[in-house]
Amino acid sequence: SFAVLQESLEKLFPNGGVLGQALVRAADIQRTDSGVQPALALEVATAILVLEASLDDGEPQAQDDMTRQVRRLAERIDAAGQGGAPQPLESWMETVYRRVSDNQTLKNVVVELRATLGDVERSIDAFFKAPQRRELLATVDAQLGSMRGVLSVLGLDEATQALQFMRDDVAALTGSSLDASAQQAL
């Protein structure tokens, strides 16, 4: 299976063949030796995780950087295969992991915001179908306020303003209004 991985690496990454060859050598070492070499297994796992993170990253990297990084992963695997100790993560690896983690966090925030906005929309629709039932809007202000806070932390000022306008409109629909101190706190 590492031979198939080698082919894929050659297609996906500049200088990917070098890494693919290192992975094949590592698999050969593991097959011929008695027992797993922990340092080699860690370097192989690190390389695979870094490659996966690089593919998930979405940030285009310069060809030279990718070539250097792929070559460096191969060197680390080869060094461990020759009995070397596993090496600590390098700063560029941490940067890739951090970007992927940040992107995943942002995706989760977006999913949560969409769900909350869907709840708000359903509540407002229900209110317009039965305007005498103001209690249908009871949770909307808090939901919009929560969303506004998240968008504010993310630095999305226009979206934050839009949510404030929505909160004001909902307050007008319910006949209530936020007092001045509550609006300033937001």
Side-chain angles (χ1 to χ4, degrees), residues 39-51:
L40 182 56
L42 283 172
E43 288 299 342
V44 168
T46 298
I48 291 172
L49 289 172
V50 167
L51 292 174

Side-chain angles (χ1 to χ4, degrees), residues 23-46:
L23 288 169
V24 168
R25 285 190 296 273
D28 289 341
I29 290 170
Q30 293 294 83
R31 263 196 308 268
T32 58
D33 284 359
S34 58
V36 173
Q37 292 182 11
L40 182 56
L42 283 172
E43 288 299 342
V44 168
T46 298

Side-chain angles (χ1 to χ4, degrees), residues 32 37 41 43 46 50 56-58 71 74 80 89 93 95 111 118 129 137 139 146 151 161-162 173 175 180:
T32 58
Q37 292 182 11
E43 288 299 342
T46 298
V50 167
D56 287 345
D57 185 16
R71 188 177 302 125
L89 289 180
M93 294 174 177
T95 300
V111 166
K129 291 176 183 172
L137 298 178
T139 61
S146 175
L151 294 174
Q161 272 185 321
L173 289 173

